């Protein structure tokens, strides 16, 4: 929210890339903004950041200044006179004039078709090319006799309106980012995406265009994004203000575009060094002795590990925000013992849900810290035999209360990293499960499991939740972000470090929103299924997350849960699953965070739940699994370097091929447009490593497309990691890929990669 001050340490963090505040070659904004009064509608356009504009529009009533915003104001970089921090303007127009304003290499024009005709008043954005010519980026789209490009409707009894804004596109424009969907796509052209959160779906209205601009729809409202052939449309279902920003770069220069976008939305701080190692988890370690034994086993096997995780239902009741003392009698002892055995940090799961039996229920209900529903203080969901209400992350007092519990029960006892699970907002991030009570039936009848599951999946609509900050419809997209903010603020308060400074601890969140990267918080891809197709689809999920600005991304190695149609799925004793697991694990060495987690099945059970440790996938697989954990630690300097670049300038870690090769390789451009599996399953990990996970079983070799790097004919820039054979770019190479080798190529010398000397 806007309340965050721009971080104090910005200057100290400024690496050589940072812009000085004065920049003589820069075309400074030649207007502080203009205001269009157009009937009941007011539109204010202001220069914002380098090469950017911010547009705010409202119907009848001006904004109060308390609207939820995810944009830094002023942005982290940019000319001092392009801050948009107040609604300032030097020009007022009434829809019968044209007006042009320029900031850096971007121009905005307000068009009025002629002096007598204000019906088609629309904005258009252009890039000034290096030769001085202008290229249209996009314009508000309203063909004759159609809905206005800025369209408003009033659906409720209150003042809030729904806004649908349409922008022109062309069939060849590609759209990158938009948060995450599970769709095998890095180009979102042609998609319609609901702005409603679910487990594994974190739709976020921020994108980079292949036409060389970036766009942020700065709204907390639920709604929709549509990327059609001729029109892109953003809808907010319930709002009092329309707010968006646009910025540009030369075509193909996606690093600059990310730099501009993250100057507006936030930069990732530096992660703690330990978090770049191997992070271990399963559903679930049930008690203290089992957890200490886990640490003992890592110690005895000599396998390095940086984080051990305690999953859900470790509490007595939902909403206690503390471990069940019956199962975890001495938390500080446990944390110290785990540290002593392995050096690892501990993370504990928390759910936002509060059940009536929780020690915190009465206090939170009385103090108004719980979310409610339109029909009164109603429950928002149900889980595990209890109806629940979620804590209200949008209320600062609720965030403070949550943290006070986490601090006392975990942090002060040595558990300082938090897993923000089920935090999608509204309900618990799933289709409504009516499982608040066990199903009882009349005497003489049996309640079959089929009957029970039918009752649990009745198609009620999503709960119509009310929060401190507004309704689910109007600010629902804020919820997961505010929940990340709660943990961020709490941890920052406890460590005495300002936001933006390097992180000592991390959180792990299932959801997020515009600018979530500013928190010490990684987003993971949610509850995935343990099948090959899901492995393959996670690559494009990570690449879309990266393009949205979320550099801190991870997943569940091996997939989270069984696919009910695949009998071997998730069974650690089945060779078919073991092979999938090994392929998934070796790939995850080359993700921003390497995190193992899942709910497993097994034929031989020796713990409360089935095993998921590196040594439980069969004797022949253990050395392979361990070799990748070791490789992860060997890559420490490289990881530090690429996280440093992400933090300084927003330079992406997981890099879709279009990032680096749009200019040098027309094949990459064409394959990106088709979402060919070369571009949805291959990527650069930092500037030097080309990673291609094996996504099929029984494979001994793998075809990899090696992009043309622009090096001259005859040079062979790509080196296969496992053989040191070199290859020229612009061709497909089929390389040996036995189970122990993930297809991995490097540019430049291996020594440079290992030293981290890769700027
Ligand atoms: C000057 O401004 C341009 C934006 O047009 C930016 O790309 C460049 O980094 C700035 N240079 C300096 C030294 O600030
Ligand atoms: C709109 O603005 C123009 C230019 O300032 C002015 O000439 C014209 O009278 C205005 N129209 C109305 C209806 O106010
Ligand atoms: C700003 O500069 C652009 C490009 O040079 C020009 O077209 C426009 O009229 C100028 N606008 C103002 C308000 O000076
Ligand atoms: C605005 O610019 C457009 C395109 O150049 C032109 O057709 C139109 O007549 C202009 N409108 C006014 C009011 O000058
Ligand atoms: C207003 O502009 C639209 C679109 O340019 C045009 O179709 C229409 O005829 C114009 N109306 C008048 C009264 O000039
Ligand atoms: C926890 O364990 C430590 C070390 O064994 C011991 O000193 C302390 O008294 C224990 N605390 C509780 C509450 O059992
Ligand atoms: C962090 O500290 C500030 C200042 O004391 C306080 O207002 C805020 O509520 C705290 N945040 C949390 C989550 O405890
Ligand atoms: C802890 O969990 C282990 C493994 O599931 C189990 O064998 C043991 O009985 C449990 N201990 C307690 C105190 O519940
Ligand atoms: C790549 O796409 C082709 C054509 O759609 C398909 O036949 C092939 O199986 C895919 N390969 C992988 C690894 O998904
Ligand atoms: C893998 O190969 C084995 C032996 O050749 C065969 O039995 C099995 O069906 C194959 N699995 C798949 C998924 O193709
Ligand atoms: C590389 O070779 C191709 C085909 O022989 C030729 O068309 C191209 O101009 C050459 N490029 C360079 C940079 O030498
Ligand atoms: C490849 O080269 C590296 C040094 O760059 C060396 O450590 C490695 O053993 C070589 N691998 C093979 C298979 O020759």
């Amino acid at each position: 929210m806007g309340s965050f001050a721009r971080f104090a340490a910005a200057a100290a963090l400024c690496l050589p890339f940072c812009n000085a505040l004065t920049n003589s070659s820069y075309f400074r904004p030649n207007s502080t903004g203009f205001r269009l009064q157009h009937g009941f509608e007011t539109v204010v356009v202001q220069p914002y950041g380098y090469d950017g504009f911010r547009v705010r529009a409202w119907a009848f009533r001006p904004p109060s200044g308390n609207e939820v915003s995810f944009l830094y104001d002023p942005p982290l970089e940019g000319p001092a006179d392009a801050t948009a921090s107040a609604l300032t303007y030097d020009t007022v127009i009434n829809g019968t004039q044209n007006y042009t304003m320029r900031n850096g290499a971007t121009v905005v024009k307000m068009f009025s078709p002629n002096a007598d005709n204000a019906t088609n008043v629309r904005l258009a954005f252009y890039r000034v090319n290096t030769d001085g010519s202008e290229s249209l980026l996009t314009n508000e789209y309203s063909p004759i006799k159609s809905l206005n490009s800025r369209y408003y409707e009033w659906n409720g009894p209150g003042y809030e309106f729904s806004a649908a804004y349409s922008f022109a596109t062309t069939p060849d424009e590609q759209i990158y980012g938009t948060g995450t969907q599970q769709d095998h796509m890095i180009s979102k052209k042609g998609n319609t995406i609901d702005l409603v959160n679910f487990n594994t779906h974190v739709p976020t209205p921020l994108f980079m265009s292949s036409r060389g601009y970036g766009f942020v729809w700065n709204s907390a409202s639920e709604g929709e994004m549509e990327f059609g052939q001729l029109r892109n449309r953003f809808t907010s279902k319930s709002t009092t203000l329309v707010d968006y920003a646009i910025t540009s770069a030369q075509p193909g220069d996606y690093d600059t575009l990310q730099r501009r976008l993250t100057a507006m939305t936030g930069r990732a701080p530096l992660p703690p060094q330990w978090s770049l190692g191997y992070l271990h988890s399963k559903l679930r370690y049930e008690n203290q002795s089992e957890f200490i034994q886990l640490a003992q086993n890592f110690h005895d096997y000599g396998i390095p590990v940086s984080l051990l995780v305690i999953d859900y239902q470790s509490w007595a009741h939902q909403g206690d925000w503390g471990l069940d003392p019956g199962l975890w009698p001495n938390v500080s002892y446990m944390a110290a013992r785990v540290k002593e055995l392995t050096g690892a940090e501990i993370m504990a799961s928390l759910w936002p849900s509060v059940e009536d039996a929780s020690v915190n229920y009465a206090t939170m209900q009385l103090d108004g810290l719980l979310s409610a529903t339109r029909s009164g203080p109603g429950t928002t969901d149900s889980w595990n035999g209890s109806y629940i209400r979620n804590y209200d992350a949008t209320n600062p007092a609720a965030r403070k209360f949550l943290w006070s519990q986490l601090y006392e029960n975990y942090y002060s006892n040595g558990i300082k990293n938090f897993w923000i699970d089920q935090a999608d907002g509204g309900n618990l991030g799933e289709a409504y499960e009516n499982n608040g009570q066990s199903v009882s039936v009349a005497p003489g009848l049996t309640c079959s499991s089929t009957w029970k599951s039918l009752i649990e999946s009745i198609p009620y609509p999503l709960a119509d939740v009310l929060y401190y900050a507004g309704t689910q419809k109007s600010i629902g997209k804020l919820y997961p972000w505010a929940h990340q903010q709660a943990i961020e603020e709490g941890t920052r308060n406890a460590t005495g470090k300002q936001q933006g400074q390097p992180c000592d601890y991390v959180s792990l969140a299932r959801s997020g929103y515009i600018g979530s990267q500013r928190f010490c918080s990684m987003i993971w891809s949610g509850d995935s299924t343990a099948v090959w197709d899901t492995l393959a689809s996670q690559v494009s999920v990570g690449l879309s997350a990266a393009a949205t600005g979320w550099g801190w991304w991870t997943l569940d190695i091996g997939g989270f849960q069984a696919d009910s149609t695949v009998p071997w799925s998730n069974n650690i004793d089945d060779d078919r699953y073991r092979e999938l697991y090994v392929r998934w694990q070796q790939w995850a060495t080359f993700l921003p965070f390497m995190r193992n987690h899942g709910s497993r099945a097994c034929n031989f059970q020796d713990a409360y739940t089935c095993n998921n440790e590196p040594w439980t996938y069969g004797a022949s697989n253990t050395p392979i699994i361990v070799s990748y954990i070791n490789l992860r630690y060997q890559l420490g300097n490289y990881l530090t370097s690429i996280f440093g670049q992400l933090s300084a300038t927003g330079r992406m870690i997981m890099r879709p091929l279009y990032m680096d090769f749009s200019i040098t390789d027309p094949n990459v451009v064409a394959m990106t447009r088709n979402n060919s599996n070369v571009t949805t399953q291959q990527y650069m990990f930092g500037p030097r490593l080309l990673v291609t996970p094996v996504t099929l079983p029984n494979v001994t070799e793998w075809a990899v497309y090696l992009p043309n790097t622009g090096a001259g004919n005859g040079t062979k820039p790509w080196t296969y990691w496992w053989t040191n054979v070199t290859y020229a770019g612009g061709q497909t190479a089929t390389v040996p890929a036995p189970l122990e080798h993930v297809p991995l190529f490097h540019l430049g010398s291996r020594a440079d990669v290992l030293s981290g000397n890769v700027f």
Side-chain angles (χ1 to χ4, degrees):
M1 297 173 81
S3 59
F4 270 124
R6 190 175 168 183
F7 49 78
L13 290 173
C14 224
L15 295 178
F17 298 101
C18 292
N19 290 311
L21 279 175
T22 54
N23 186 336
S24 57
S25 66
Y26 190 81
F27 189 103
R28 299 179 76 90
N30 58 8
S31 162
T32 61
F34 66 86
R35 191 191 83 184
L36 167 75
Q37 190 64 47
H38 187 219
F40 66 67
E41 178 195 40
T42 308
V43 180
V44 172
V45 184
Q46 296 167 290
Y48 180 55
Y50 280 124
D51 307 307
F53 293 101
R54 184 168 181 184
V55 179
R56 276 172 281 190
W58 58 89
F60 299 107
R61 295 185 197 169
S64 69
N66 294 323
E67 289 74 19
V68 173
S69 171
F70 303 92
L71 297 179
Y72 278 112
D73 203 2
L76 299 176
E77 296 168 354
D81 41 3
T83 64
S85 31
L87 282 166
T88 48
Y89 44 84
D90 52 30
T91 304
V92 177
I93 58 175
N94 64 15
T96 63
Q97 308 106 301
N98 288 345
Y99 189 75
T100 299
M101 174 166 70
R102 179 173 171 184
N103 176 19
T106 312
V107 167
V108 59
K109 298 183 188 180
M110 174 60 88
F111 277 115
S112 303
N114 61 60
D116 305 318
N117 187 340
T119 58
N120 205 9
V121 180
R122 59 195 188 132
L123 291 172
F125 299 94
Y126 299 81
R127 177 185 47 247
V128 182
N129 299 310
T130 42
D131 66 2
S133 63
E134 290 180 4
S135 302
L136 178 67
L137 300 168
T138 185
N139 57 273
E140 291 181 331
Y141 174 78
S142 55
I144 295 162
K145 299 191 196 299
S146 68
L147 288 184
N148 218 346
S149 51
R150 302 183 301 275
Y151 187 70
Y152 311 91
E153 270 188 288
W154 283 260
N155 298 317
Y159 170 72
E160 292 194 345
F161 52 86
S162 104
Y165 269 46
S166 298
F167 299 88
T169 178
T170 49
D172 67 339
E173 181 184 27
Q174 303 305 314
I175 303 294
Y176 309 126
T178 77
T180 60
Q181 300 89 42
Q182 302 281 325
D183 58 7
H184 289 274
M185 290 178 174
I186 54 170
S187 167
K188 303 294 181 169
K189 185 71 171 182
N191 289 11
T192 299
I193 300 166
D194 295 325
L195 284 167
V196 179
N197 297 336
F198 282 102
N199 186 353
T200 75
H201 287 256
V202 195
T204 299
L206 178 154
F207 70 85
M208 296 194 291
S209 160
S210 60
R211 295 169 75 99
Y213 68 93
F215 181 94
V216 190
W217 180 251
N218 182 29
S219 170
S221 171
E222 292 188 334
E224 215 172 55
M225 314 182 252
E226 298 163 78
F227 301 106
Q229 292 300 303
L230 300 176
R231 172 173 78 175
N232 295 332
R233 180 158 65 176
F234 290 81
T235 307
S236 291
K237 279 190 177 169
S238 186
T239 191
T240 56
L241 176 68
V242 172
D243 185 356
Y244 69 88
I246 188 167
T247 186
S248 81
Q250 295 302 312
D253 186 359
Y254 292 100
D255 279 333
T256 296
L257 219 41
Q258 267 305 313
R259 181 173 185 165
R260 300 281 178 262
L261 284 167
T262 55
M264 299 175 179
T265 63
R267 296 263 163 81
L270 292 172
Q273 189 67 28
W274 61 261
S275 69
L276 304 180
Y278 171 64
L279 315 181
H280 180 82
S281 181
K282 81 165 183 181
L283 182 170
R284 63 193 174 92
Y285 298 104
E286 196 213 16
N287 63 48
Q288 179 174 314
S289 54
E290 189 184 4
F291 202 70
I292 292 174
Q293 185 59 46
L294 173 71
Q296 183 75 53
N297 290 344
F298 271 98
H299 171 268
D300 294 351
Y301 279 100
I303 299 173
V305 63
S306 295
L307 181 75
L308 296 174
V309 180
I310 299 171
D311 199 354
Y312 74 156
Q313 293 188 190
S314 45
W315 41 76
H317 301 103
Q318 295 174 72
D320 285 354
W321 299 311
L323 293 169
D324 180 350
L327 295 167
W328 311 85
N330 195 334
V331 178
S332 58
Y333 163 75
M334 175 178 74
R337 186 73 188 126
V338 164
K339 192 66 131 192
E340 190 174 68
L341 285 165
T342 60
E345 284 285 318
I346 302 178
M347 173 181 279
S349 163
L350 66 123
W351 280 30
S353 48
V354 182
E355 63 182 276
D356 295 5
S358 168
V359 293
N360 293 319
Y361 173 73
T363 306
M364 297 191 77
Q365 181 67 286
L366 284 171
D367 291 350
L369 306 182
L370 296 170
S371 56
T373 62
R374 266 185 196 269
S375 55
T379 59
T380 50
D381 207 339
S382 60
W383 171 257
N384 199 32
S386 305
Y387 287 105
I388 57 94
R389 296 159 174 86
N390 284 342
Y391 103 100
D392 182 356
T394 76
N395 183 342
R399 293 198 292 268
K400 189 172 187 177
F401 181 86
L402 171 74
W403 178 256
S404 70
Q405 301 303 305
L406 296 175
Y407 182 83
E408 184 179 330
N409 296 324
Y410 297 95
Y411 191 96
S412 66
N413 289 314
I415 299 181
K416 301 183 174 182
N417 304 279
F418 293 99
W419 180 0
I420 303 171
D421 203 358
Q422 304 288 137
D424 321 72
N427 56 2
L428 287 174
E430 323 275 343
Y432 186 71
E433 284 185 52
N434 184 31
N435 64 4
Q437 297 160 337
S438 56
V439 177
S440 57
V441 292
L445 292 179
T446 10
C447 178
S448 69
S449 59
T450 316
W451 187 6
K452 188 163 189 295
S453 72
L454 282 174
I455 288 172
E456 287 180 357
S457 62
I458 288 169
Y460 289 125
L462 294 170
D464 200 351
V465 177
L466 299 177
Y467 304 103
Y468 174 86
T471 60
Q472 176 68 23
K473 222 179 244 179
S474 65
I475 56 90
K477 297 292 288 171
L478 167 66
Y479 188 94
W481 193 100
H483 198 359
Q484 289 178 296
Q485 182 188 10
I487 305 301
E488 173 80 10
E489 276 183 5
T491 311
R492 294 289 187 189
N493 283 356
T495 57
K497 297 247 176 85
Q498 298 291 311
Q499 193 185 10
Q501 289 185 319
C503 311
D504 293 320
Y505 305 106
V506 298
S507 70
L508 168 70
R510 196 167 77 180
S511 193
Y513 201 48
I514 298 164
S516 278
Q517 66 271 9
R518 70 186 69 166
F519 304 127
C520 301
S521 188
M522 56 181 104
I523 293 173
W524 99 100
S525 67
D527 292 351
S528 53
T529 50
V531 291
W532 289 99
D533 185 61
T534 302
L535 191 178
S537 69
Q538 295 320 289
V539 188
S540 55
V541 174
L543 295 175
S544 294
T548 306
W550 306 331
W552 287 34
W553 184 82
T554 186
L555 47 61
D556 290 354
I557 288 174
F560 171 69
Q561 66 194 25
D563 177 327
S564 57
T565 65
V566 180
W568 53 261
S569 177
N570 248 14
N571 188 325
I572 63 164
D573 294 318
D574 190 305
D575 285 340
R576 290 167 293 186
Y577 180 61
R578 287 176 168 183
E579 182 185 357
L580 169 64
Y581 182 87
V582 171
R583 289 301 192 186
W584 206 316
Q585 194 260 357
Q586 61 187 208
W587 165 44
T589 311
F590 306 97
L591 294 179
F593 296 94
M594 183 186 195
R595 178 177 154 276
N596 180 27
H597 179 67
S599 163
R600 303 292 176 236
C602 53
N603 301 338
F604 313 100
Q605 189 159 347
D606 62 5
Y608 178 75
T609 54
C610 297
N611 294 321
N612 186 37
E613 294 73 42
W615 51 87
T616 54
Y617 284 90
S620 65
N621 292 324
T622 301
I624 304 176
I625 292 168
V626 173
S627 73
Y628 282 93
I629 294 174
N630 287 328
L631 178 55
R632 178 75 186 186
Y633 286 91
Q634 286 155 22
L635 289 170
N637 292 331
Y638 186 73
L639 294 166
T640 303
S641 172
I642 61 182
F643 272 94
Q645 294 171 25
L646 174 76
S647 184
T649 65
R651 190 179 185 189
M652 282 157 57
I653 290 176
M654 286 185 77
R655 305 175 63 78
L657 298 186
Y658 66 76
M659 290 286 303
D660 294 303
F661 308 110
S662 283
I663 292 169
T664 57
D665 193 337
N667 292 332
V668 165
V669 174
M671 289 189 290
T672 300
R673 188 167 296 162
N674 298 334
N675 277 308
S676 107
N677 52 20
V678 165
T679 56
T680 59
Q681 295 182 22
Q682 295 188 199
Y683 63 99
M684 294 296 289
F685 183 63
R688 296 298 181 85
L689 297 175
L690 175 69
V691 183
T692 310
V694 169
T695 57
L696 295 171
N698 279 7
V699 155
T700 55
E701 54 182 30
W702 199 248
V704 177
Y705 182 75
L706 300 169
N708 190 335
T709 61
N713 286 345
T715 57
K716 295 181 169 182
W718 298 102
T719 305
Y720 194 47
W721 185 272
W722 308 109
T723 60
N724 293 335
V725 174
T726 57
Y727 297 82
Q731 59 166 336
T732 299
T734 298
V735 290
L739 186 60
E740 62 271 27
H741 289 160
V742 60
L744 174 67
F745 288 82
H746 59 97
L747 289 171
S749 79
R750 183 185 302 214
D752 278 352
V753 172
L754 294 175
S755 72
N757 180 23
V758 292
F759 279 93

